[in-house]
Every structure is written in C-alpha cells, then in structure tokens.
PDB file of all heavy atoms in Angstrom:
ATOM      1  N   LEU Y   1      87.306  99.132 106.932  1.00 93.00           N
ATOM      2  CA  LEU Y   1      87.752  97.802 106.559  1.00 93.00           C
ATOM      3  C   LEU Y   1      86.644  96.790 106.704  1.00 93.00           C
ATOM      4  O   LEU Y   1      86.265  96.675 107.824  1.00 93.00           O
ATOM      5  CB  LEU Y   1      89.039  97.525 107.172  1.00 93.00           C
ATOM      6  CG  LEU Y   1      89.780  96.239 106.755  1.00 93.00           C
ATOM      7  CD1 LEU Y   1      90.221  96.274 105.247  1.00 93.00           C
ATOM      8  CD2 LEU Y   1      91.002  95.856 107.532  1.00 93.00           C
ATOM      9  N   GLY Y   2      86.240  96.057 105.641  1.00 93.00           N
ATOM     10  CA  GLY Y   2      85.163  95.104 105.846  1.00 93.00           C
ATOM     11  C   GLY Y   2      85.565  93.656 105.507  1.00 93.00           C
ATOM     12  O   GLY Y   2      84.864  92.793 105.901  1.00 93.00           O
ATOM     13  N   LEU Y   3      86.795  93.418 105.035  1.00 94.00           N
ATOM     14  CA  LEU Y   3      87.195  92.090 104.717  1.00 94.00           C
ATOM     15  C   LEU Y   3      88.775  91.994 104.513  1.00 94.00           C
ATOM     16  O   LEU Y   3      89.332  92.861 104.030  1.00 94.00           O
ATOM     17  CB  LEU Y   3      86.467  91.608 103.350  1.00 94.00           C
ATOM     18  CG  LEU Y   3      86.826  90.298 102.794  1.00 94.00           C
ATOM     19  CD1 LEU Y   3      86.327  89.122 103.625  1.00 94.00           C
ATOM     20  CD2 LEU Y   3      86.353  90.112 101.301  1.00 94.00           C
ATOM     21  N   ILE Y   4      89.270  90.813 105.005  1.00 96.00           N
ATOM     22  CA  ILE Y   4      90.677  90.584 104.772  1.00 96.00           C
ATOM     23  C   ILE Y   4      90.658  89.142 104.132  1.00 96.00           C
ATOM     24  O   ILE Y   4      90.140  88.183 104.675  1.00 96.00           O
ATOM     25  CB  ILE Y   4      91.460  90.649 106.047  1.00 96.00           C
ATOM     26  CG1 ILE Y   4      91.536  92.024 106.615  1.00 96.00           C
ATOM     27  CG2 ILE Y   4      92.924  90.155 105.732  1.00 96.00           C
ATOM     28  CD1 ILE Y   4      92.170  92.113 107.906  1.00 96.00           C
ATOM     29  N   ILE Y   5      91.474  88.953 103.040  1.00 95.00           N
ATOM     30  CA  ILE Y   5      91.650  87.740 102.383  1.00 95.00           C
ATOM     31  C   ILE Y   5      93.139  87.419 102.409  1.00 95.00           C
ATOM     32  O   ILE Y   5      93.850  88.316 101.880  1.00 95.00           O
ATOM     33  CB  ILE Y   5      90.981  87.605 101.002  1.00 95.00           C
ATOM     34  CG1 ILE Y   5      89.607  87.949 100.982  1.00 95.00           C
ATOM     35  CG2 ILE Y   5      91.335  86.238 100.248  1.00 95.00           C
ATOM     36  CD1 ILE Y   5      89.027  88.078  99.502  1.00 95.00           C
ATOM     37  N   VAL Y   6      93.651  86.317 102.772  1.00 93.00           N
ATOM     38  CA  VAL Y   6      94.996  85.907 102.762  1.00 93.00           C
ATOM     39  C   VAL Y   6      95.138  84.688 101.802  1.00 93.00           C
ATOM     40  O   VAL Y   6      94.661  83.750 102.115  1.00 93.00           O
ATOM     41  CB  VAL Y   6      95.570  85.544 104.195  1.00 93.00           C
ATOM     42  CG1 VAL Y   6      96.894  85.090 104.192  1.00 93.00           C
ATOM     43  CG2 VAL Y   6      95.243  86.717 105.216  1.00 93.00           C
ATOM     44  N   ASP Y   7      95.868  85.002 100.744  1.00 89.00           N
ATOM     45  CA  ASP Y   7      96.185  83.970  99.728  1.00 89.00           C
ATOM     46  C   ASP Y   7      97.523  83.444 100.123  1.00 89.00           C
ATOM     47  O   ASP Y   7      98.533  84.074  99.776  1.00 89.00           O
ATOM     48  CB  ASP Y   7      96.003  84.641  98.341  1.00 89.00           C
ATOM     49  CG  ASP Y   7      96.157  83.502  97.313  1.00 89.00           C
ATOM     50  OD1 ASP Y   7      95.247  82.824  97.058  1.00 89.00           O
ATOM     51  OD2 ASP Y   7      97.302  83.441  96.707  1.00 89.00           O
ATOM     52  N   GLU Y   8      97.631  82.239 100.672  1.00 80.00           N
ATOM     53  CA  GLU Y   8      98.853  81.720 101.061  1.00 80.00           C
ATOM     54  C   GLU Y   8      99.309  80.533 100.297  1.00 80.00           C
ATOM     55  O   GLU Y   8      99.630  79.474 100.731  1.00 80.00           O
ATOM     56  CB  GLU Y   8      98.802  81.297 102.484  1.00 80.00           C
ATOM     57  CG  GLU Y   8      97.555  80.428 102.917  1.00 80.00           C
ATOM     58  CD  GLU Y   8      97.645  79.986 104.309  1.00 80.00           C
ATOM     59  OE1 GLU Y   8      98.634  80.179 105.014  1.00 80.00           O
ATOM     60  OE2 GLU Y   8      96.566  79.362 104.828  1.00 80.00           O
ATOM     61  N   GLU Y   9      99.332  80.796  98.894  1.00 74.00           N
ATOM     62  CA  GLU Y   9      99.778  79.780  98.018  1.00 74.00           C
ATOM     63  C   GLU Y   9     101.279  79.474  98.097  1.00 74.00           C
ATOM     64  O   GLU Y   9     101.704  78.410  98.238  1.00 74.00           O
ATOM     65  CB  GLU Y   9      99.551  80.130  96.534  1.00 74.00           C
ATOM     66  CG  GLU Y   9      98.044  79.885  96.090  1.00 74.00           C
ATOM     67  CD  GLU Y   9      97.619  78.468  96.379  1.00 74.00           C
ATOM     68  OE1 GLU Y   9      98.429  77.544  96.098  1.00 74.00           O
ATOM     69  OE2 GLU Y   9      96.545  78.188  96.737  1.00 74.00           O
ATOM     70  N   CYS Y  10     102.011  80.511  98.104  1.00 59.00           N
ATOM     71  CA  CYS Y  10     103.446  80.466  98.391  1.00 59.00           C
ATOM     72  C   CYS Y  10     103.721  80.608  99.912  1.00 59.00           C
ATOM     73  O   CYS Y  10     102.759  80.623 100.666  1.00 59.00           O
ATOM     74  CB  CYS Y  10     104.192  81.581  97.596  1.00 59.00           C
ATOM     75  SG  CYS Y  10     104.016  81.390  95.874  1.00 59.00           S
ATOM     76  N   ASP Y  11     104.944  80.611 100.367  1.00 52.00           N
ATOM     77  CA  ASP Y  11     105.243  80.637 101.770  1.00 52.00           C
ATOM     78  C   ASP Y  11     104.934  82.067 102.249  1.00 52.00           C
ATOM     79  O   ASP Y  11     105.531  83.174 101.900  1.00 52.00           O
ATOM     80  CB  ASP Y  11     106.609  80.364 101.971  1.00 52.00           C
ATOM     81  CG  ASP Y  11     106.974  80.105 103.378  1.00 52.00           C
ATOM     82  OD1 ASP Y  11     106.035  79.860 104.236  1.00 52.00           O
ATOM     83  OD2 ASP Y  11     108.171  80.195 103.726  1.00 52.00           O
ATOM     84  N   LEU Y  12     103.875  82.169 103.150  1.00 44.00           N
ATOM     85  CA  LEU Y  12     103.350  83.539 103.707  1.00 44.00           C
ATOM     86  C   LEU Y  12     103.762  83.586 105.241  1.00 44.00           C
ATOM     87  O   LEU Y  12     103.017  84.364 105.894  1.00 44.00           O
ATOM     88  CB  LEU Y  12     101.938  83.626 103.392  1.00 44.00           C
ATOM     89  CG  LEU Y  12     101.546  84.580 102.398  1.00 44.00           C
ATOM     90  CD1 LEU Y  12     100.121  84.714 102.240  1.00 44.00           C
ATOM     91  CD2 LEU Y  12     102.073  86.012 102.519  1.00 44.00           C
ATOM     92  N   ASN Y  13     104.796  82.861 105.658  1.00 45.00           N
ATOM     93  CA  ASN Y  13     104.947  82.962 107.063  1.00 45.00           C
ATOM     94  C   ASN Y  13     105.748  84.044 107.610  1.00 45.00           C
ATOM     95  O   ASN Y  13     105.261  84.861 108.435  1.00 45.00           O
ATOM     96  CB  ASN Y  13     105.595  81.585 107.519  1.00 45.00           C
ATOM     97  CG  ASN Y  13     104.806  80.340 107.163  1.00 45.00           C
ATOM     98  OD1 ASN Y  13     103.613  80.439 107.469  1.00 45.00           O
ATOM     99  ND2 ASN Y  13     105.369  79.337 106.633  1.00 45.00           N
ATOM    100  N   HIS Y  14     107.005  84.217 107.101  1.00 39.00           N
ATOM    101  CA  HIS Y  14     107.840  85.290 107.798  1.00 39.00           C
ATOM    102  C   HIS Y  14     108.728  85.837 106.616  1.00 39.00           C
ATOM    103  O   HIS Y  14     109.007  85.209 105.657  1.00 39.00           O
ATOM    104  CB  HIS Y  14     108.806  84.579 108.769  1.00 39.00           C
ATOM    105  CG  HIS Y  14     108.186  84.131 110.000  1.00 39.00           C
ATOM    106  ND1 HIS Y  14     107.817  84.924 110.974  1.00 39.00           N
ATOM    107  CD2 HIS Y  14     107.805  82.930 110.316  1.00 39.00           C
ATOM    108  CE1 HIS Y  14     107.284  84.229 111.966  1.00 39.00           C
ATOM    109  NE2 HIS Y  14     107.183  82.960 111.530  1.00 39.00           N
ATOM    110  N   ILE Y  15     108.938  87.067 106.819  1.00 45.00           N
ATOM    111  CA  ILE Y  15     109.979  87.869 105.961  1.00 45.00           C
ATOM    112  C   ILE Y  15     110.789  88.730 106.841  1.00 45.00           C
ATOM    113  O   ILE Y  15     110.387  89.079 107.877  1.00 45.00           O
ATOM    114  CB  ILE Y  15     109.246  88.656 104.784  1.00 45.00           C
ATOM    115  CG1 ILE Y  15     108.365  89.765 105.341  1.00 45.00           C
ATOM    116  CG2 ILE Y  15     108.548  87.850 103.835  1.00 45.00           C
ATOM    117  CD1 ILE Y  15     108.037  90.829 104.409  1.00 45.00           C
ATOM    118  N   TYR Y  16     111.911  89.111 106.354  1.00 45.00           N
ATOM    119  CA  TYR Y  16     112.722  90.201 106.919  1.00 45.00           C
ATOM    120  C   TYR Y  16     112.482  91.463 106.233  1.00 45.00           C
ATOM    121  O   TYR Y  16     112.731  91.475 105.032  1.00 45.00           O
ATOM    122  CB  TYR Y  16     114.181  89.838 107.020  1.00 45.00           C
ATOM    123  CG  TYR Y  16     114.524  88.589 107.871  1.00 45.00           C
ATOM    124  CD1 TYR Y  16     114.431  87.293 107.421  1.00 45.00           C
ATOM    125  CD2 TYR Y  16     114.775  88.843 109.291  1.00 45.00           C
ATOM    126  CE1 TYR Y  16     114.593  86.282 108.316  1.00 45.00           C
ATOM    127  CE2 TYR Y  16     115.012  87.862 110.112  1.00 45.00           C
ATOM    128  CZ  TYR Y  16     114.893  86.576 109.680  1.00 45.00           C
ATOM    129  OH  TYR Y  16     115.219  85.477 110.471  1.00 45.00           O
ATOM    130  N   TYR Y  17     112.071  92.475 106.886  1.00 49.00           N
ATOM    131  CA  TYR Y  17     111.805  93.707 106.307  1.00 49.00           C
ATOM    132  C   TYR Y  17     112.417  94.786 107.033  1.00 49.00           C
ATOM    133  O   TYR Y  17     111.934  95.196 108.015  1.00 49.00           O
ATOM    134  CB  TYR Y  17     110.267  93.920 106.051  1.00 49.00           C
ATOM    135  CG  TYR Y  17     109.969  95.260 105.365  1.00 49.00           C
ATOM    136  CD1 TYR Y  17     109.972  95.226 103.975  1.00 49.00           C
ATOM    137  CD2 TYR Y  17     109.636  96.469 105.972  1.00 49.00           C
ATOM    138  CE1 TYR Y  17     109.604  96.280 103.257  1.00 49.00           C
ATOM    139  CE2 TYR Y  17     109.384  97.515 105.329  1.00 49.00           C
ATOM    140  CZ  TYR Y  17     109.372  97.489 103.895  1.00 49.00           C
ATOM    141  OH  TYR Y  17     109.039  98.604 103.182  1.00 49.00           O
ATOM    142  N   ASN Y  18     113.731  95.245 106.640  1.00 50.00           N
ATOM    143  CA  ASN Y  18     114.473  96.173 107.371  1.00 50.00           C
ATOM    144  C   ASN Y  18     114.661  95.801 108.859  1.00 50.00           C
ATOM    145  O   ASN Y  18     114.394  96.518 109.714  1.00 50.00           O
ATOM    146  CB  ASN Y  18     113.832  97.620 107.290  1.00 50.00           C
ATOM    147  CG  ASN Y  18     113.883  98.155 105.874  1.00 50.00           C
ATOM    148  OD1 ASN Y  18     114.623  97.704 105.089  1.00 50.00           O
ATOM    149  ND2 ASN Y  18     113.005  99.113 105.624  1.00 50.00           N
ATOM    150  N   LYS Y  19     115.042  94.631 109.045  1.00 57.00           N
ATOM    151  CA  LYS Y  19     115.389  93.948 110.383  1.00 57.00           C
ATOM    152  C   LYS Y  19     114.078  93.889 111.228  1.00 57.00           C
ATOM    153  O   LYS Y  19     114.222  94.093 112.416  1.00 57.00           O
ATOM    154  CB  LYS Y  19     116.496  94.783 111.066  1.00 57.00           C
ATOM    155  CG  LYS Y  19     117.923  94.745 110.287  1.00 57.00           C
ATOM    156  CD  LYS Y  19     118.824  95.606 111.118  1.00 57.00           C
ATOM    157  CE  LYS Y  19     120.151  95.639 110.332  1.00 57.00           C
ATOM    158  NZ  LYS Y  19     121.094  96.359 110.941  1.00 57.00           N
ATOM    159  N   PHE Y  20     112.930  93.776 110.569  1.00 70.00           N
ATOM    160  CA  PHE Y  20     111.687  93.716 111.316  1.00 70.00           C
ATOM    161  C   PHE Y  20     111.011  92.394 110.918  1.00 70.00           C
ATOM    162  O   PHE Y  20     110.600  92.194 109.758  1.00 70.00           O
ATOM    163  CB  PHE Y  20     110.911  94.957 111.014  1.00 70.00           C
ATOM    164  CG  PHE Y  20     109.494  94.861 111.320  1.00 70.00           C
ATOM    165  CD1 PHE Y  20     109.053  94.409 112.513  1.00 70.00           C
ATOM    166  CD2 PHE Y  20     108.478  95.275 110.452  1.00 70.00           C
ATOM    167  CE1 PHE Y  20     107.671  94.352 112.791  1.00 70.00           C
ATOM    168  CE2 PHE Y  20     107.121  95.314 110.742  1.00 70.00           C
ATOM    169  CZ  PHE Y  20     106.701  94.742 111.978  1.00 70.00           C
ATOM    170  N   ILE Y  21     110.928  91.461 111.896  1.00 74.00           N
ATOM    171  CA  ILE Y  21     110.358  90.117 111.650  1.00 74.00           C
ATOM    172  C   ILE Y  21     108.849  90.235 112.089  1.00 74.00           C
ATOM    173  O   ILE Y  21     108.574  90.616 113.129  1.00 74.00           O
ATOM    174  CB  ILE Y  21     111.133  89.010 112.435  1.00 74.00           C
ATOM    175  CG1 ILE Y  21     112.580  89.031 112.205  1.00 74.00           C
ATOM    176  CG2 ILE Y  21     110.501  87.756 112.156  1.00 74.00           C
ATOM    177  CD1 ILE Y  21     113.388  88.217 113.062  1.00 74.00           C
ATOM    178  N   PHE Y  22     108.043  89.661 111.105  1.00 82.00           N
ATOM    179  CA  PHE Y  22     106.617  89.561 111.520  1.00 82.00           C
ATOM    180  C   PHE Y  22     105.977  88.453 110.675  1.00 82.00           C
ATOM    181  O   PHE Y  22     106.347  88.091 109.566  1.00 82.00           O
ATOM    182  CB  PHE Y  22     105.900  90.893 111.306  1.00 82.00           C
ATOM    183  CG  PHE Y  22     105.627  91.186 109.766  1.00 82.00           C
ATOM    184  CD1 PHE Y  22     104.406  91.055 109.202  1.00 82.00           C
ATOM    185  CD2 PHE Y  22     106.688  91.684 108.994  1.00 82.00           C
ATOM    186  CE1 PHE Y  22     104.196  91.303 107.885  1.00 82.00           C
ATOM    187  CE2 PHE Y  22     106.414  92.066 107.724  1.00 82.00           C
ATOM    188  CZ  PHE Y  22     105.206  91.815 107.101  1.00 82.00           C
ATOM    189  N   ASN Y  23     104.934  87.946 111.268  1.00 82.00           N
ATOM    190  CA  ASN Y  23     104.138  86.809 110.675  1.00 82.00           C
ATOM    191  C   ASN Y  23     102.815  87.457 110.072  1.00 82.00           C
ATOM    192  O   ASN Y  23     102.102  87.978 110.821  1.00 82.00           O
ATOM    193  CB  ASN Y  23     103.718  85.818 111.780  1.00 82.00           C
ATOM    194  CG  ASN Y  23     103.046  84.656 111.211  1.00 82.00           C
ATOM    195  OD1 ASN Y  23     102.295  84.726 110.141  1.00 82.00           O
ATOM    196  ND2 ASN Y  23     103.279  83.440 111.764  1.00 82.00           N
ATOM    197  N   ALA Y  24     102.800  87.494 108.729  1.00 86.00           N
ATOM    198  CA  ALA Y  24     101.707  88.120 108.110  1.00 86.00           C
ATOM    199  C   ALA Y  24     100.276  87.589 108.380  1.00 86.00           C
ATOM    200  O   ALA Y  24      99.383  88.317 108.628  1.00 86.00           O
ATOM    201  CB  ALA Y  24     102.002  88.090 106.585  1.00 86.00           C
ATOM    202  N   LYS Y  25     100.102  86.268 108.438  1.00 88.00           N
ATOM    203  CA  LYS Y  25      98.845  85.655 108.673  1.00 88.00           C
ATOM    204  C   LYS Y  25      98.532  85.821 110.089  1.00 88.00           C
ATOM    205  O   LYS Y  25      97.317  86.098 110.349  1.00 88.00           O
ATOM    206  CB  LYS Y  25      99.050  84.062 108.477  1.00 88.00           C
ATOM    207  CG  LYS Y  25      97.664  83.315 108.429  1.00 88.00           C
ATOM    208  CD  LYS Y  25      97.912  81.955 107.873  1.00 88.00           C
ATOM    209  CE  LYS Y  25      98.580  81.075 108.770  1.00 88.00           C
ATOM    210  NZ  LYS Y  25      98.457  79.554 108.504  1.00 88.00           N
ATOM    211  N   LEU Y  26      99.404  85.828 111.048  1.00 88.00           N
ATOM    212  CA  LEU Y  26      99.080  85.998 112.480  1.00 88.00           C
ATOM    213  C   LEU Y  26      98.595  87.514 112.680  1.00 88.00           C
ATOM    214  O   LEU Y  26      97.608  87.661 113.388  1.00 88.00           O
ATOM    215  CB  LEU Y  26     100.263  85.813 113.295  1.00 88.00           C
ATOM    216  CG  LEU Y  26     100.184  86.010 114.840  1.00 88.00           C
ATOM    217  CD1 LEU Y  26      99.339  84.910 115.471  1.00 88.00           C
ATOM    218  CD2 LEU Y  26     101.498  86.056 115.451  1.00 88.00           C
ATOM    219  N   VAL Y  27      99.232  88.380 112.045  1.00 91.00           N
ATOM    220  CA  VAL Y  27      98.929  89.879 112.233  1.00 91.00           C
ATOM    221  C   VAL Y  27      97.553  90.085 111.531  1.00 91.00           C
ATOM    222  O   VAL Y  27      96.646  90.848 111.942  1.00 91.00           O
ATOM    223  CB  VAL Y  27      99.974  90.765 111.659  1.00 91.00           C
ATOM    224  CG1 VAL Y  27      99.576  92.207 111.790  1.00 91.00           C
ATOM    225  CG2 VAL Y  27     101.195  90.564 112.334  1.00 91.00           C
ATOM    226  N   ALA Y  28      97.314  89.491 110.314  1.00 93.00           N
ATOM    227  CA  ALA Y  28      95.951  89.622 109.629  1.00 93.00           C
ATOM    228  C   ALA Y  28      94.833  89.076 110.522  1.00 93.00           C
ATOM    229  O   ALA Y  28      93.745  89.843 110.619  1.00 93.00           O
ATOM    230  CB  ALA Y  28      96.131  88.895 108.313  1.00 93.00           C
ATOM    231  N   ILE Y  29      94.977  87.919 111.146  1.00 93.00           N
ATOM    232  CA  ILE Y  29      93.997  87.316 111.998  1.00 93.00           C
ATOM    233  C   ILE Y  29      93.682  88.263 113.145  1.00 93.00           C
ATOM    234  O   ILE Y  29      92.540  88.429 113.579  1.00 93.00           O
ATOM    235  CB  ILE Y  29      94.333  85.886 112.438  1.00 93.00           C
ATOM    236  CG1 ILE Y  29      94.308  84.956 111.231  1.00 93.00           C
ATOM    237  CG2 ILE Y  29      93.413  85.412 113.480  1.00 93.00           C
ATOM    238  CD1 ILE Y  29      94.978  83.621 111.349  1.00 93.00           C
ATOM    239  N   GLU Y  30      94.712  88.765 113.769  1.00 93.00           N
ATOM    240  CA  GLU Y  30      94.559  89.643 114.921  1.00 93.00           C
ATOM    241  C   GLU Y  30      93.936  90.972 114.530  1.00 93.00           C
ATOM    242  O   GLU Y  30      93.140  91.485 115.231  1.00 93.00           O
ATOM    243  CB  GLU Y  30      95.990  89.922 115.578  1.00 93.00           C
ATOM    244  CG  GLU Y  30      95.918  90.600 116.863  1.00 93.00           C
ATOM    245  CD  GLU Y  30      95.166  89.836 118.001  1.00 93.00           C
ATOM    246  OE1 GLU Y  30      95.216  88.623 118.065  1.00 93.00           O
ATOM    247  OE2 GLU Y  30      94.552  90.525 118.923  1.00 93.00           O
ATOM    248  N   ARG Y  31      94.214  91.517 113.388  1.00 94.00           N
ATOM    249  CA  ARG Y  31      93.586  92.759 112.903  1.00 94.00           C
ATOM    250  C   ARG Y  31      92.062  92.443 112.737  1.00 94.00           C
ATOM    251  O   ARG Y  31      91.186  93.278 112.944  1.00 94.00           O
ATOM    252  CB  ARG Y  31      94.225  93.200 111.734  1.00 94.00           C
ATOM    253  CG  ARG Y  31      93.612  94.622 111.291  1.00 94.00           C
ATOM    254  CD  ARG Y  31      94.457  95.335 110.255  1.00 94.00           C
ATOM    255  NE  ARG Y  31      93.930  96.658 110.052  1.00 94.00           N
ATOM    256  CZ  ARG Y  31      94.513  97.565 109.289  1.00 94.00           C
ATOM    257  NH1 ARG Y  31      95.567  97.373 108.561  1.00 94.00           N
ATOM    258  NH2 ARG Y  31      93.961  98.747 109.201  1.00 94.00           N
ATOM    259  N   ALA Y  32      91.721  91.347 112.112  1.00 94.00           N
ATOM    260  CA  ALA Y  32      90.327  91.031 111.919  1.00 94.00           C
ATOM    261  C   ALA Y  32      89.542  90.841 113.248  1.00 94.00           C
ATOM    262  O   ALA Y  32      88.408  91.204 113.337  1.00 94.00           O
ATOM    263  CB  ALA Y  32      90.271  89.715 111.096  1.00 94.00           C
ATOM    264  N   LYS Y  33      90.214  90.271 114.249  1.00 93.00           N
ATOM    265  CA  LYS Y  33      89.475  90.148 115.514  1.00 93.00           C
ATOM    266  C   LYS Y  33      89.409  91.563 116.193  1.00 93.00           C
ATOM    267  O   LYS Y  33      88.276  91.735 116.635  1.00 93.00           O
ATOM    268  CB  LYS Y  33      90.492  89.303 116.494  1.00 93.00           C
ATOM    269  CG  LYS Y  33      90.365  87.852 116.296  1.00 93.00           C
ATOM    270  CD  LYS Y  33      91.312  87.074 117.356  1.00 93.00           C
ATOM    271  CE  LYS Y  33      91.278  85.679 117.063  1.00 93.00           C
ATOM    272  NZ  LYS Y  33      92.218  84.904 117.933  1.00 93.00           N
ATOM    273  N   LYS Y  34      90.322  92.399 116.077  1.00 92.00           N
ATOM    274  CA  LYS Y  34      90.173  93.701 116.666  1.00 92.00           C
ATOM    275  C   LYS Y  34      89.120  94.540 116.120  1.00 92.00           C
ATOM    276  O   LYS Y  34      88.350  95.341 116.765  1.00 92.00           O
ATOM    277  CB  LYS Y  34      91.566  94.390 116.684  1.00 92.00           C
ATOM    278  CG  LYS Y  34      92.568  93.844 117.763  1.00 92.00           C
ATOM    279  CD  LYS Y  34      93.784  94.657 117.703  1.00 92.00           C
ATOM    280  CE  LYS Y  34      94.830  94.138 118.694  1.00 92.00           C
ATOM    281  NZ  LYS Y  34      94.243  94.173 120.042  1.00 92.00           N
TER     282      LYS Y  34
END
C-alpha cells in the first residue's frame, strides 16, 4: 500500500455496520501512520 486518499465530500464520520461503530477518517490516518 503506497497511498490513501479520503474524499470527505459527504459525511464520512461514522456509520453503523452490523452493530460495529467506527470512524473511517480516524482509522485511515492511523493505518497511514503504521
């Protein structure tokens, strides 16, 4: 993996996915750091 782009035109903060809450932008930034 060489690049991550987050296009946050609409609301990209939180979703419910099978009772699993996560912040997409926060996880993307942490994966880029790691």
Side-chain angles (χ1 to χ4, degrees):
L1 186 62
L3 174 72
I4 298 173
I5 304 170
V6 180
D7 185 77
E8 46 177 354
E9 277 308 317
C10 297
D11 192 16
L12 256 180
N13 295 320
H14 295 277
I15 61 165
Y16 290 90
Y17 186 80
N18 294 340
K19 301 179 183 179
F20 163 44
I21 302 170
F22 73 100
N23 187 326
K25 188 168 74 171
L26 179 73
V27 177
I29 291 167
E30 189 62 30
R31 184 164 189 178
K33 279 181 187 177
K34 286 184 180 297

